[in-house]
């Protein structure tokens, strides 16, 4: 059986959604862009969808026997890398 480890990487702003008023959301590559005049009106719907997505990932990992963790970009990447290393090492 192939063991896998999955990690979700989130910026703290993705979980706080501190945006209000006119906001332009842009993908990392700039290929996708969304502008809104009322970002605050999107907050609860966005946070609900983010929570649903996280729950889906946790459930999928549990059902498949994968290990799952979330890394936040305001913490050291070393922590995430060590988690991944240990997760994969357990089943090597």
């Amino acid at each position: 059986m192939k063991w896998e480890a999955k990690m979700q990487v989130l910026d703290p702003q993705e979980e706080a959604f501190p945006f209000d008023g006119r906001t332009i959301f842009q993908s990392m590559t700039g290929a996708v862009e969304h502008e809104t005049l009322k970002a605050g009106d999107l907050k609860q719907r966005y946070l609900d969808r983010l929570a649903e997505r996280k729950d889906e990932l946790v459930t999928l990992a549990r059902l498949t026997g994968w290990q799952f963790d979330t890394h936040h970009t305001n913490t050291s990447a070393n922590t995430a890398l060590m988690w991944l290393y240990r997760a994969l090492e357990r089943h090597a």
Side-chain angles (χ1 to χ4, degrees):
M1 173 186 268
K2 182 178 178 182
W3 292 95
E4 294 200 31
K6 301 294 182 186
M7 180 169 287
Q8 180 182 37
V9 179
L10 293 173
D11 186 278
Q13 288 195 22
E14 290 179 271
E15 292 187 302
F17 200 90
F19 312 105
D20 195 24
R22 181 177 182 266
T23 306
I24 299 172
F25 298 99
Q26 191 174 52
S27 66
M28 295 280 293
T29 63
V32 178
E33 185 176 288
H34 175 75
E35 180 177 356
T36 181
L37 297 176
K38 299 179 179 180
D41 291 351
L42 302 174
K43 182 175 184 170
Q44 194 55 55
R45 195 169 102 208
Y46 169 82
L47 292 175
D48 290 346
R49 288 190 67 191
L50 181 62
E52 287 172 15
R53 178 68 174 154
K54 189 182 278 191
D55 288 344
E56 289 171 2
L57 291 171
V58 168
T59 300
L60 178 62
R62 189 178 329 111
L63 290 172
T64 58
W66 297 348
Q67 296 177 73
F68 176 81
D69 195 25
T70 300
H71 171 71
H72 295 94
T73 58
N74 65 337
T75 61
S76 172
N78 289 341
T79 304
L81 291 172
M82 286 304 298
W83 181 88
L84 286 167
Y85 176 79
R86 287 184 185 124
L88 295 172
E89 182 181 51
R90 282 183 221 133
H91 302 288

